[in-house]
Amino acid sequence: MVISKQDNAIMRGFAILLIILHNFCHWMPDCVEANEFTWSSDNIVVYLNYISHGGPHLFLNFLSHYGHYGIALFLLLSGYGLSLKYDKQTKLNTFAFLLNHVKKLLYLLLPALFISFIVDDSLWLSQTWKSLIQLCAFTANLNPYYHFIYGPWWWFSLIMQFYVIYAFIFHNHSIKFITLFTSVILIFYIGVTCYCWNDLDNNNSLMAYLHYNFPCSILPFYLGVLLSRINCNFSSMSWIFIVGSVVTVLGSFSALVWCVVPLFAAITLFVIVKFLSKFLFVNVLLQKVGKISAWIFAIHPIVRKFAIPYLDIYNDYLVLITYIIITLTLAWLIHWLINKIKVV
């Protein structure tokens, strides 16, 4: 399957909009908390109660509960891109590969950390230098006692893990081998879920640890690598959209099915974006958003922190729209400024 640069930008644009909407909506009054890093039956009960009563905020609650699966689409695109670019190299220079991606991540992480410190140094006053070093070394997620700061910081450690996995396990190995590896990880993850089955609501630390690391996110990454290596075109198959949607929505109500939902969510979002991209306005808009998606991801938690208090003062939708506009504007300005500095 071929995903063009244009398709990639469109999908990144759609995925990042889902993520920033999700990350804002679950802070809004009367919006249910998502089963994102942990699975809680209480969240399901509240969400079903909202649906049965027709609100409040049916659409925003849907985004709050399912919008985080934009991450799954990002992982699919990452797996696809890595495989497409590096599979052709018979021998991968692992050190150079990893160093290159460390530089790319630091290029985004350090300015975002600097801006965060400038606008809200209270976030960092409680952090030790050891914690910040772990964050910048992309090892923070591996520490089960690491104090996570609200924001995108966990993503950098997660995606670095996938760069390592691609370099040492996926590159130059057959589809059978990477399928076996992915299956073993999935079985382990399901096994842990079964182990915690009778007390899932109280085993949040263990489930959260797995979700901050690669085991719970490997399926969409694997799918991306697979799509780059096989010839298929499922974007035109409506039945895949139907199955993917049903499993994504209804599967989230079961802790076991929830383990594989990221795979189906990634497939469903892939098909949705392929359909939406046929409309010229949506196509152009998502391309522009996709090109600055990295900076949107880095800057949106800062804007969100200042926007949330206004939910108690102004209309929820007005605050949400203002948050989106400011986030997109600041991301574009930073993207433009960095490019100007590069030229100089």
Side-chain angles (χ1 to χ4, degrees), residues 149-315:
I149 307 163
Y150 285 117
W153 318 115
W154 61 271
W155 162 260
F156 293 94
S157 182
L158 176 67
I159 195 62
M160 193 65 219
Q161 291 178 28
F162 280 110
Y163 291 144
V164 172
I165 287 171
Y166 174 79
F168 288 100
I169 298 174
F170 279 28
H171 182 261
N172 265 4
H173 284 105
S174 67
I175 292 177
K176 288 183 179 180
F177 179 85
I178 66 172
T179 301
L180 176 62
F181 174 80
T182 304
S183 300
V184 170
I185 298 299
L186 178 61
I187 291 170
F188 165 75
Y189 171 32
I190 293 175
V192 172
T193 304
C194 291
Y195 173 77
C196 300
W197 185 261
N198 293 324
D199 200 23
L200 273 176
D201 291 332
N202 296 320
N203 270 293
N204 286 343
S205 59
L206 177 57
M207 296 303 294
Y209 181 75
L210 287 180
H211 275 82
Y212 279 121
N213 293 286
F214 76 91
C216 301
S217 303
I218 197 166
L219 286 176
F221 183 83
Y222 160 77
L223 176 62
V225 173
L226 195 64
L227 290 178
S228 75
R229 297 184 182 182
I230 62 177
N231 184 21
C232 71
N233 185 21
F234 63 70
S235 60
S236 62
M237 301 180 185
S238 57
W239 65 269
I240 291 183
F241 165 74
I242 294 171
V243 172
S245 299
V246 170
V247 174
T248 300
V249 175
L250 299 183
S252 299
F253 297 154
S254 165
L256 277 182
V257 182
W258 178 65
C259 296
V260 298
V261 163
L263 174 67
F264 291 91
I267 294 173
T268 304
L269 292 176
F270 183 93
V271 175
I272 290 174
V273 178
K274 290 290 284 184
F275 171 75
L276 291 177
S277 65
K278 296 178 182 179
F279 300 94
L280 181 60
F281 174 76
V282 176
N283 186 306
V284 173
L285 176 64
L286 291 180
Q287 277 193 68
K288 291 184 179 298
V289 173
K291 290 177 181 178
I292 59 171
S293 60
W295 289 114
I296 294 173
F297 187 78
I299 206 72
H300 83 273
I302 302 169
V303 181
R304 180 186 63 181
K305 175 179 174 57
F306 289 97
I308 287 173
Y310 288 98
L311 290 170
D312 297 327
I313 305 173
Y314 299 106
N315 178 273

